[in-house]
Amino acid sequence: MSGYDASANGHSYGADDGQQGAGGPPQAGAAPRRKGGRRYAAEQYDFNAQNPGMGQGTAQIPADPSQMFVPAGGAPFQQGPGQQYPGVGQPYGQPVAAAGYGDYGAGTGYAQQPSAAPMQQPQQPYGAGAGYGAAAPQSMMAGFPGQAQGINGATKQFSQMSIRALPQVESMDLMNTRPEISDLQAPPPTAILPDNLALTPSPHAATDPRFFRSTINACPTNSGLLKKSKLPLALIVRPFLELTGQDGVPIVTDTIIARCRRCRTYINPYVSFVENGYKWKCNLCGYLNETPSAFDFNQLEQKSADRFARVELNHSVCDFLAPQEYAVRPPTPPTYVFLIDVSFSAVTSGLVGTAARVILEALDQIPNEQSRAKVAFIAVDSSLHYFALGPDSTEARMLVVGDLEEAFLPSPSDLLVSLTDCRPAIENLLSRFNEMFATTQNGSSAMGPALKAAERMIAHQGGKIITLISTLPNLGEGKLTPREDAKLLGTASETKLLQPQNSWYKSFAVECSKTQVTVDMFLFASSYQDVASLSCLPRYTAGATHYYPGWNANNYNDVQRFGTEFTRHLSQEIALEAVLRVRASTGLRMNAFYGNFFNRSSDLCAFPTVPRDQSYVVEVAIDENIGTPFVYFQAAWLNSTHNGERRVRVLTMCMPTTQSLSEMYASADAPAITHYFAAKAAERCLSATLDNAREAVGARVNEIMDTYRKHLLNTNTGASVPLRICSNLRLLPLLSLSLLKHLSLRKSSQIPSDLRSQAINYISTLPLPQLITYLHPRFYSLTDMGPECGLPGDDGQIVMPPTLNLTAAQLQPYGLYLLDDGLIQFLYIGGQAVPQLCEDVFGVSDISQVRVGKMSLPEDLDNDFSIRVRAVIAKSRELEHGKIFFPHLYVVRPDADATLVRWFITSLVEDRGDSAASPSYAEYLQSLKGKLT
């Protein structure tokens, strides 16, 4: 257990006892050495000497009460003898080989022995072309591998399917086991399904958990069993994996879409053909549907077709190219209206000039392959400044409207223009944009009327309103006033600061959703910004909120982060006019949805545009007893691509049913359950109180542990078993503690409401891999990493060091450590680091000269260790696929900037915080044990 121990210099760390002395052999009976010899450490220490300090893992925080400024699988297919499946085994998304590091030798002496294998999970193969093995015989039902002979054979085969092979629970002791952090990257428990359940032996019939994942992978047959288990039944849905591209998802291009006439399910790998193949049986409701003739005859080529080679019968994730009847109107072009704050604070901070330059440089990144994209620009202070643009001129006309009560569009045709046709005028406008407002003294912001005017401009076709705000809106509709009150922070009344102060934002968001308009917020402020109110617009319009506290263009790192994230945001191949409906087998019902969208009805979610960097949580209820051995879930996204195609992305999941509590627990997925907890907690923060959200998370973990103890542990274990849980849920207490100690939920009077509001936004929208990293950051020792780390591996990707437990016990006073939560990176250097380390990494001769705070490492240091450290930092920034964020790097020294040290220490979730509400991991387990007994 780690705690806090204040000292004069803030931190004092000691080497482990029993280490071998420099140059000497190990002493008899000495403890085994840690990984390899470390030259930086050896230069400083005689390891045989006693060294008081942090040998017990005690985190020492400078006594500074100042406020923190915290920016915030299916089972593998077993190929039979002689079978060949073209394309199977090709990795999803070929990785781009790292460039610029060359072919380095073994190590530089910083770590003499290689460390453990890097914690990188191989990409699961996905997206291989349809068609497996030789073509099936012309007979619709006979001869295909694994296919039952006729309806009688299919019925017999189905009746013989069994779920007795479901895994049983394997208990483990939490009190005496350190959490294995590498397990956070392990694949989820697999739904155990018969090999012949799917129509074909395609390896892609099994659900890809990157798209579609469940909190449990064995569905209880009745609501009583689900309630008794205390486990949540929820789905994690992520429609897109990358910001651009097809994600390796195959497309059904013939516009033949077979759907169940009763429940409207899309045909998928788990249906069955009956009556000699002339009908197919829906796997969700059991209804018999006519099989389209096009499944067996290609009208375009006028020849027979092999139905079992069709994409939708081989892939659980696929796109359908939809015919005209799937569109209410022709697909609209991607449309972007930029609202740019040009008030005094925006100009003086450099936002106006930086934003104009970034947009100018990102014009080629906007999806516009068919020259369909349209753009408009409105500058906002106490008036609205429109810009009329034309294809025949390079000059833009500024049209100023000062009437905020009835803001109107001063020109009917040349405000929203083609990006391609008016490119010269757009480039000229952006290059002069900062000059137009450089001398302004106007400190007001009429952003509310500007938002309404922008919505009116594109209401006929929909699109995106991208808003860049520096000044709190203080004129017209949507007017906000500063309401931050330090006395409310950490109290029950803090919830008031997390809710919108003006109902106009919710009402306007609903209007935007009706007209297919998404609002994105980019917020820059040196003071209170009211993120809670402004983020209400993205929440109900399927948008995104990005917050940059203390942003200033004079800081290169601020400009780099904003420029990178804004460019990535614009480059997304957004889906337009989308709706989501999730269907399930008879007896199951979608009970609640969490994420950024508008609930148009109980089971229909509306997305004016679909961001490619967010995910959604769907809570499932059991209304009727389930009598089938398997249940199915299907999520369908109807959307228009930026190229003008109407498509449906269909994700299908199958899982066995069970009447066994043991099998439910054996199939439970700890990261997915944590995702559900986070989404539910975010909703409670806004609808109830922070205390209610915290209590709900803690109570649910207690209930799960108690249910496991009462019903799944042997009664004769007695008091000798301190605290047990099934092995697949062994990280659930740690992840739950990480959520409770996270910026979004942590009980503290030192967290500004803007930072907490933004953290709540993130935990409700981040995809699962990014969310887990955000709650439980990756932690690496750079001075201990093996010689292969930081260099390209056999696959061309940078080899990463092994991850460490988040505790100060890992810190050595001479070491260098990287902590990364996906949004922020900390580079911690021990207070007794040797001069050689300081010289190699920072280019300074002494630890006292290492500059702390937000910065970039020098890139002109020509030594192997510097190159490897920078490579690891860069790779860590990009480990999660499809992310927009570009984390800042903060350098931390234990003897400098107490606030920064305190911020870093709060990320070490296994250690005790500065209050009883922030226990260590050992204390948290002890409290769980106490509540159980």
Side-chain angles (χ1 to χ4, degrees), residues 56 139 152 203 246 341 444 628 631 670 691 750 753 803 825 869:
Q56 302 300 319
S139 170
N152 293 332
Q246 186 59 22
D341 185 347
S444 301
T628 57
V631 293
D691 286 339
Q750 304 297 318
S753 62
T803 50
Q825 291 181 322
V869 166

Side-chain angles (χ1 to χ4, degrees), residues 90-94 124-130 132 204 208 210-211 239-242 244-251 311 315 317-319 612 647 649:
Q90 295 300 317
Y92 152 78
Q94 291 292 341
Q124 296 296 322
Y126 189 78
Y132 300 89
H204 307 304
D208 187 333
R210 296 172 301 166
F211 290 98
F240 301 100
L241 302 181
E242 303 287 351
T244 60
Q246 186 59 22
D247 297 323
V249 176
I251 308 174
V311 166
H315 293 77
V317 181
C318 67
D319 280 354
R612 298 178 70 114
R647 290 188 183 179
R649 175 155 290 189

Side-chain angles (χ1 to χ4, degrees), residues 347-402:
V347 173
T348 54
S349 69
L351 172 61
V352 176
T354 302
R357 185 175 71 254
V358 170
I359 295 172
L360 176 62
E361 295 174 353
L363 290 178
D364 288 332
Q365 304 298 320
I366 294 176
N368 190 33
E369 290 87 346
Q370 298 182 359
S371 301
R372 302 175 73 243
K374 293 186 176 182
V375 296
F377 301 88
I378 303 177
V380 185
D381 48 23
S382 59
S383 302
L384 308 185
H385 306 257
Y386 298 88
F387 297 93
L389 304 162
D392 301 324
S393 173
T394 59
E395 296 296 324
R397 292 184 298 118
M398 182 190 295
L399 307 173
V400 182
V401 174

Side-chain angles (χ1 to χ4, degrees), residues 47 86 117 141 158 183 204 239 284 361 503 513 525 527 559 572 584 587 596 644 651 682 700 720 781 856 884 919:
F47 282 126
M141 299 298 297
F158 187 81
D183 291 342
H204 307 304
L284 269 70
E361 295 174 353
S503 62
S513 180
S527 58
V559 174
Q572 292 183 85
N596 283 5
L651 297 76
R700 199 62 182 269
S720 61
S781 171
S856 300
I884 282 181

Side-chain angles (χ1 to χ4, degrees), residues 911-930:
D911 292 343
R912 190 178 190 278
D914 53 2
S915 70
S918 184
S920 69
Y921 178 61
E923 291 171 337
Y924 182 64
L925 293 181
Q926 194 65 43
S927 70
L928 287 177
K929 178 188 174 185

Side-chain angles (χ1 to χ4, degrees), residues 91 113 146 225 286 314 322 371 379 385-386 433 590 629 725 810 897:
Q113 296 180 5
L225 182 59
N314 288 279
S371 301
H385 306 257
Y386 298 88
F433 205 87
M590 304 306 114
I725 191 65
Q810 302 286 355
D897 196 338

Side-chain angles (χ1 to χ4, degrees), residues 798-872:
I798 296 298
V799 177
M800 297 295 289
T803 50
L804 305 176
N805 290 81
L806 288 171
T807 170
Q810 302 286 355
L811 299 174
Q812 297 293 342
Y814 47 76
L816 184 68
Y817 302 87
L818 175 66
L819 189 146
D820 187 345
D821 72 358
L823 277 77
I824 296 293
Q825 291 181 322
F826 292 103
L827 188 63
Y828 178 93
I829 182 170
Q832 299 178 35
V834 296
Q836 186 64 50
L837 176 60
C838 302
E839 177 68 32
D840 286 354
V841 178
F842 301 96
V844 297
S845 59
D846 184 77
I847 182 64
S848 63
Q849 300 176 24
V850 174
R851 187 166 62 90
V852 300
K854 189 190 308 179
M855 62 174 292
S856 300
L857 293 182
E859 299 183 359
D860 56 350
L861 300 178
D862 189 18
N863 66 80
D864 288 345
F865 190 67
S866 174
I867 292 172
R868 293 166 58 212
V869 166
R870 284 184 277 118
V872 168

Side-chain angles (χ1 to χ4, degrees), residues 292-330:
S293 60
F295 272 34
D296 301 302
F297 188 79
N298 189 319
Q299 293 283 356
L300 183 63
E301 299 180 4
Q302 290 295 303
K303 66 178 184 180
S304 297
D306 174 16
R307 67 168 62 181
F308 294 108
R310 291 187 65 86
V311 166
E312 65 268 42
L313 300 183
N314 288 279
H315 293 77
S316 63
V317 181
C318 67
D319 280 354
F320 289 91
L321 188 60
Q324 186 174 356
E325 55 263 30
Y326 278 72
V328 177
R329 60 182 178 181

